Amino acid sequence: MTDVRADNEGYRRFREAMQAGILTPGMVVTQNELCELIGLSLSPLRETLVLLEEFGLVEIKPRTGIRIVYPEVAFIRENYQFRIMIEVFALRSFGDSVTEDWIDNMIASHEECRTTLVDSSLFEDAQLKFARLDRRMHLEIVEALGNRAILDTHRRLQDNISMAQQVHRRPNFRGALLQTIDEHMKILEALKRRDADQAIAALEAHFRGATHRTFAV
């Protein structure tokens, strides 16, 4: 196992280049091309490639180049399965410590996003706002564990799934976001009742739905 941290500069630049569309899934580049695209010199790039290959984000092909991962079914399922393991474990702890204020704020924020998502004139801004809310909700559940290693891994899984969703985004994206809100609300309502088992069941159902929606036409 490499001791290179996932928050190193090369890793961060690689992720930013993916988000900006400078690097695209399935793309094949040379080391020199990748250096230029992410603004990194060759020595730190080689260190970063060890990490990226370990995380399954690139494939190093001799005499061919570096292939950026394309999120196939197995990639997505593996990342969701790992996230489920982490979040189910975290939710049991979170259910004991979560405050009424946090729950009420999350419910109100979701209802606000629901309202703006159905307004076509506000949709672009609304989807970005909800993406931040979605990430924050799941992240804060995991933060309750107080475990840096788990939190770093969870952030990486969130990034992987976000990339996959962007690649496989379908025309009914608005409907998918509204379904996600409904699923989140079931988790939040169970937390409000202090029903940890039901909150976990709702979380698992949410991830099943999210996995299916990634590929649904």
Side-chain angles (χ1 to χ4, degrees):
M1 176 72 72
T2 179
D3 61 358
V4 181
R5 292 196 59 83
D7 56 1
N8 78 356
E9 180 68 11
Y11 180 83
R12 181 184 64 78
R13 291 190 185 191
F14 178 87
R15 283 295 193 184
E16 288 176 350
M18 290 291 291
Q19 291 170 1
I22 297 169
L23 297 175
T24 56
M27 182 180 187
V28 178
V29 294
T30 65
Q31 284 193 10
N32 288 337
E33 288 170 338
L34 189 55
C35 283
E36 184 176 345
L37 288 169
I38 67 175
L40 209 62
S41 60
L42 192 57
S43 179
L45 176 70
R46 287 172 177 160
E47 183 181 70
T48 298
L49 285 174
V50 173
L51 183 68
L52 295 173
E53 188 172 32
E54 181 180 304
F55 286 170
L57 294 175
V58 300
E59 296 176 356
I60 312 298
K61 296 184 174 294
R63 297 182 298 278
T64 301
I66 302 156
R67 181 181 181 272
I68 313 300
V69 66
Y70 185 88
E72 304 282 3
V73 174
F75 177 90
I76 294 168
R77 284 182 176 160
E78 287 170 3
N79 279 273
Y80 268 121
Q81 286 170 354
F82 203 171
R83 270 191 68 179
I84 291 169
M85 290 172 60
I86 291 173
E87 291 195 35
V88 166
F89 178 63
L91 195 53
R92 291 200 180 277
S93 297
F94 187 72
D96 294 332
S97 61
V98 62
T99 66
E100 288 291 325
D101 285 346
W102 186 92
I103 297 170
D104 290 342
N105 178 267
M106 273 289 165
I107 289 174
S109 296
H110 277 74
E111 291 294 0
E112 180 182 347
C113 281
R114 190 202 305 275
T115 298
T116 52
L117 280 169
V118 300
D119 187 332
S120 298
S121 64
L122 300 174
F123 180 65
E124 293 300 323
D125 289 340
Q127 66 174 325
L128 293 174
K129 182 177 180 179
F130 179 65
R132 291 192 292 268
L133 178 63
D134 174 61
R135 187 179 182 92
R136 181 166 69 88
M137 174 177 157
H138 288 280
L139 193 63
E140 288 179 358
I141 289 171
V142 177
E143 282 178 338
L145 292 172
N147 186 309
R148 171 71 182 274
I150 292 176
L151 189 60
D152 285 347
T153 298
H154 184 263
R155 285 196 179 101
R156 174 167 58 86
L157 296 171
Q158 283 186 311
D159 288 339
N160 288 352
I161 290 170
S162 177
M163 175 191 68
Q165 289 172 334
Q166 186 173 0
V167 170
H168 294 282
R169 182 170 295 172
R170 305 301 188 191
N172 61 345
F173 184 50
R174 186 195 306 268
L177 294 180
L178 292 171
Q179 283 182 292
T180 300
I181 289 177
D182 289 341
E183 291 163 2
H184 278 192
M185 291 294 282
K186 290 178 181 178
I187 299 168
L188 294 167
E189 288 161 2
L191 286 173
K192 193 168 182 65
R193 297 193 304 270
R194 304 295 169 173
D195 188 340
D197 289 338
Q198 189 56 46
I200 288 170
L203 177 69
E204 291 173 331
H206 165 50
F207 278 129
R208 286 195 299 272
T211 304
H212 172 74
R213 284 192 296 274
T214 302
F215 299 103
V217 177

